[in-house]
Structures are given as C-alpha cells and as structure tokens.
C-alpha cells in the first residue's frame, strides 16, 4: 500500500533507513538510492519519486562504477542534473 511505501522511504534514524539512501534535493525532490558491489559485480538504483524516474544499473564489471552510469543516464532525463 502507498502508506507502507511512504513509511519505507521516510527519512528516519539517519540517512539509510531500511537500506535506502534517502535525500531531499531542493531542486529535484525526494531521491532514493542504493549502490553496491563485490568482486566482479557492481549495481545501483536511483529513484526520483517527484520526477517519476527510476534508473537501475546491473553490471558484471566492478571496474566501472555503476553510479557514474546512473548519473550519465540521469543527465538525459532530468534537466540540468549533476551530482
């Protein structure tokens, strides 16, 4: 339910409630992130709820940071976006 999603994405108890990085960006609204990797793999999800945009990157290469690819894709969809 929508109420449960709002609870899951609320900023409580620090920046990483329930494994999400939650940021309120003055220009783009609420931003939900989670990045990670291990030897041979890299992944990331970034979601801008107010922009209705979600970018998910799954890679079988650890040498290329998934967050760089997410930022590159976001620059095509969110006007003036940069990290």
């Amino acid at each position: 339910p929508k109420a449960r999603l709002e609870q899951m994405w609320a900023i409580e108890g620090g920046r990483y409630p329930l494994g999400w990085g939650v940021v309120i960006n003055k220009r783009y609204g609420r931003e939900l992130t989670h990045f990670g990797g291990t030897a041979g793999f890299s992944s990331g999800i970034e979601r801008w709820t107010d922009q209705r945009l979600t970018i998910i990157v799954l890679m079988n290469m650890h040498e290329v940071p998934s967050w760089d690819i997410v930022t590159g894709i976001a620059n095509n969809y969110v006007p003036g976006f940069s990290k």
Side-chain angles (χ1 to χ4, degrees):
K2 184 174 174 114
R4 183 67 68 201
L5 291 175
E6 291 299 321
Q7 181 184 20
M8 181 176 77
W9 297 332
I11 298 176
E12 295 178 0
R15 186 161 182 251
Y16 292 98
L18 300 176
W20 289 98
V22 180
V23 176
I24 303 296
N25 181 308
K26 290 181 182 178
R27 185 169 183 182
Y28 302 111
R30 188 175 357 194
E31 180 181 334
L32 309 167
T33 64
H34 188 88
F35 291 93
T38 189
F41 301 95
S42 178
S43 64
I45 178 172
E46 192 139 15
R47 182 171 188 195
W48 295 268
T49 57
D50 297 337
Q51 302 294 324
R52 299 180 48 90
L53 175 65
T54 301
I55 300 171
I56 300 169
V57 173
L58 305 171
M59 299 177 53
N60 61 354
M61 296 177 62
H62 188 67
E63 297 78 23
V64 180
S66 58
W67 53 87
D68 286 346
I69 295 172
V70 168
T71 299
I73 294 169
N75 282 319
N76 291 310
Y77 292 97
V78 180
F81 178 81
S82 65
K83 282 234 171 201

